Amino acid sequence: MGQASFQPPDPDYEQRVRASFDRQAAMRTIGASLGAIEPGRVVIELPHSPALTQQHGFLHAGMVATALDSACGYAAFTLMPHDAGILTIEYKINLLAPGKGQLFRMEATVVKPGRTITLVEGRAFAIDTGREKLIATMTATEMTVTGREDIKH
Amino acid sequence: MGQASFQPPDPDYEQRVRASFDRQAAMRTIGASLGAIEPGRVVIELPHSPALTQQHGFLHAGMVATALDSACGYAAFTLMPHDAGILTIEYKINLLAPGKGQLFRMEATVVKPGRTITLVEGRAFAIDTGREKLIATMTATEMTVTGREDIKH
Amino acid sequence: MGQASFQPPDPDYEQRVRASFDRQAAMRTIGASLGAIEPGRVVIELPHSPALTQQHGFLHAGMVATALDSACGYAAFTLMPHDAGILTIEYKINLLAPGKGQLFRMEATVVKPGRTITLVEGRAFAIDTGREKLIATMTATEMTVTGREDIKH
Amino acid sequence: MGQASFQPPDPDYEQRVRASFDRQAAMRTIGASLGAIEPGRVVIELPHSPALTQQHGFLHAGMVATALDSACGYAAFTLMPHDAGILTIEYKINLLAPGKGQLFRMEATVVKPGRTITLVEGRAFAIDTGREKLIATMTATEMTVTGREDIKH
């Protein structure tokens, strides 16, 4: 995936990501938490919970997508200016294996940042009795928005 | 979207969809419920809840995607044989407007059913003080799986 | 698909689409031509040619995608201001059936136009001995660009 | 991208890819040629040609997609059994920069092979006066088909 090192225009990018994440009630509801936050890269972790399962008792694909989509958005957000808001324009997810495991790790990496459009790739891994397995991949298009009070942080 | 009328191979398709949906804890957790169930078409409704919001107090895009993805899967499921299981291979979502409203309606329609692969289109609408607005579109690729006990219903 | 009637900001939208299309050598090379041009809707036609085939003698999926992608871009372009350029940010195509036929018709319709981002849906049909068949669907995200001399028309 | 080493079930995978590629008239028409062929990885090269340009004289995005899509299909094909055919179910492409250069290199790598479904990632690079630039990324879903004479090689 991305191997370039990115220069964040806002040195407080980590604090800005944490503050935004903490305002998302949905992340609390599903039990997601932030892991590593670097310029152009964000990790989100999600423990298994019976409340989030599909009909076979595995993590619902929607929950995988929700946490992975958030990781992609925040990876792009690390490279945006201090006063910018972010909109996810679209994403595509390929589901490779069931969400079977005790813990799930979502890794998102910026492929190409841009003034308006940033492309991010994400990968979701299930950790099942210590073994890690790739269960989904995502590409997400994120847009930098400035000057709109309703889309901020 | 699709306007063809489809012949479901299993006359009990509605009961099969309801039974599967009822086994999804994640749907209960987010408060989603089934609406219309027809051959090749399924509607899911989701009321606004503070527990499902993003940082601006609107419905989290992940919850829109979760409910819309489920609607797409069940629309395909209505046209599958009695003993078939279903796997979502991939989906793509375009987010058009924030999830601002009191109620959300997810409509999924099969574009082309197939023996192995079925293509479904979905649309998510927000109902805000009586006005309805298109907030997201999805295309989803669903696979019919037979003979596997771990992927059933 | 889209049923709204759109008001084009530039009354000369048809002439602008034709002038741009005529400058695309690739469209001449594959033999594509413009059909209907309406606000938010463009049709492109492509006759079968042995030069454009894949290994079974059918129209290569890449050629279906090329013509369908162009139709999507021009559908968005009809709703852009006179001095705007257009960039395709991404598209997704689902291939439903082989490109078997004598003529192919690509229809693109704007789902939601926006100041910056416009979402378009496309459908490709094969006409084979008078019978028409849906062979592919597309969703495309188009961006309006202004003030850049290198991206114009 | 993928770094696993794959075991091809058919030791003649390279010859099988070359034979299929040579039967694609569309590849000859656009001037594409095969580069490296390894288990789970295929490279296709495409020189710039005035016949393949869009309105600004750059390589048409449709041609980028056509060559990249072919590379993805053949990357999956290297890991399929001797008697299998291949169908591309869908792909998504993100366009990052104009097709400006003298030569274009399309690299495709299998992310996860499967008995029925194989996921592939592709990247397109433009080589412009010796400098290389990422201009597009793709994810493609490929299906292994057996027992059908009309979909073979």
Side-chain angles (χ1 to χ4, degrees), chain B residues 115-129:
Chain B
R115 201 169 51 95
T116 307
I117 299 294
T118 293
L119 177 65
V120 187
E121 282 184 355
R123 300 210 168 194
F125 299 89
I127 293 109
D128 189 15
T129 57

Side-chain angles (χ1 to χ4, degrees), chain A residues 20 23-27 29-30 50-56 60-63 65-66 69-70 74 88-95 150-153, chain B residues 20 23-27 29-30 50-56 60-63 65-66 69-70 74 88-95 150-153:
Chain A
S20 172
R23 283 196 298 275
Q24 296 209 351
M27 291 295 111
T29 299
I30 70 173
L52 305 180
T53 52
Q54 33 85 296
Q55 66 271 34
H56 307 112
H60 198 284
M63 300 302 147
T66 296
D69 164 28
S70 287
Y74 284 121
T88 299
I89 294 177
E90 60 84 29
Y91 67 78
K92 186 217 186 188
I93 186 166
N94 278 77
L95 300 161
D150 58 330
I151 301 164
K152 207 168 167 180
H153 310 312
Chain B
S20 173
R23 284 196 298 275
Q24 297 210 351
M27 291 295 112
T29 299
I30 70 173
L52 304 179
T53 53
Q54 32 84 298
Q55 65 272 36
H56 307 110
H60 198 285
M63 301 304 148
T66 296
D69 163 28
S70 287
Y74 284 121
T88 299
I89 295 177
E90 59 85 27
Y91 67 79
K92 186 214 185 191
I93 186 166
N94 278 77
L95 300 161
D150 58 329
I151 300 163
K152 208 169 167 178
H153 310 310

Side-chain angles (χ1 to χ4, degrees), chain D residues 6-153:
Chain D
F6 297 111
Q7 289 299 330
D10 175 13
D12 292 333
Y13 64 88
E14 179 174 344
Q15 187 190 338
R16 204 160 33 98
V17 167
R18 292 198 182 280
S20 173
F21 188 90
D22 287 348
R23 284 197 297 276
Q24 295 210 352
M27 291 294 112
R28 276 196 303 281
T29 299
I30 70 173
S33 62
L34 280 165
I37 303 173
E38 301 159 23
R41 181 172 178 272
V42 163
V43 175
I44 287 181
E45 291 185 336
L46 182 64
H48 177 86
S49 156
L52 304 179
T53 53
Q54 32 84 298
Q55 65 271 35
H56 307 111
F58 301 141
L59 185 68
H60 198 285
M63 301 302 147
V64 176
T66 296
L68 190 51
D69 163 30
S70 287
C72 288
Y74 285 121
F77 200 46
T78 62
L79 301 182
M80 292 185 182
H82 185 73
D83 59 343
I86 181 170
L87 279 179
T88 299
I89 294 177
E90 60 84 27
Y91 67 79
K92 186 215 185 190
I93 186 166
N94 278 77
L95 300 161
L96 303 174
K100 185 171 179 295
Q102 293 78 49
L103 183 68
F104 300 89
R105 198 179 72 245
M106 319 304 178
E107 296 189 2
T109 311
V110 169
V111 175
K112 183 170 177 291
R115 201 170 51 94
T116 308
I117 300 294
T118 294
L119 177 64
V120 187
E121 283 184 355
R123 301 211 167 194
F125 299 89
I127 294 111
D128 189 15
T129 56
R131 292 194 54 194
E132 191 172 292
K133 189 178 184 177
L134 179 67
I135 61 169
T137 67
M138 181 177 281
T139 60
T141 305
E142 313 285 346
M143 185 162 75
T144 304
V145 181
T146 50
R148 281 180 58 177
E149 276 305 305
D150 58 331
I151 300 165
K152 208 169 168 179
H153 311 313

Side-chain angles (χ1 to χ4, degrees), chain B residues 4 7 10 13 19 21 42 46-47 51 54 61 65 80 90-91 95-96 99-100 103 105 137 139 142 148 150:
Chain B
Q7 288 299 329
D10 175 13
Y13 64 88
F21 188 91
V42 163
L46 182 63
Q54 32 84 298
M80 292 185 181
E90 59 85 27
Y91 67 79
L95 300 161
L96 303 174
K100 186 172 178 293
L103 183 67
R105 199 179 70 244
T137 66
T139 60
E142 314 285 346
R148 282 180 57 177
D150 58 329

Side-chain angles (χ1 to χ4, degrees), chain C residues 36-96:
Chain C
I37 303 173
E38 300 159 23
R41 182 173 179 271
V42 162
V43 175
I44 287 181
E45 291 186 336
L46 182 64
H48 176 86
S49 157
L52 305 179
T53 52
Q54 33 84 297
Q55 65 271 36
H56 307 112
F58 301 141
L59 185 68
H60 198 284
M63 301 302 148
V64 175
T66 296
L68 191 51
D69 164 28
S70 287
C72 287
Y74 284 122
F77 200 46
T78 63
L79 301 182
M80 292 184 181
H82 185 74
D83 60 344
I86 181 169
L87 281 179
T88 299
I89 294 177
E90 60 82 29
Y91 67 80
K92 187 217 186 188
I93 186 166
N94 279 76
L95 300 161
L96 304 174

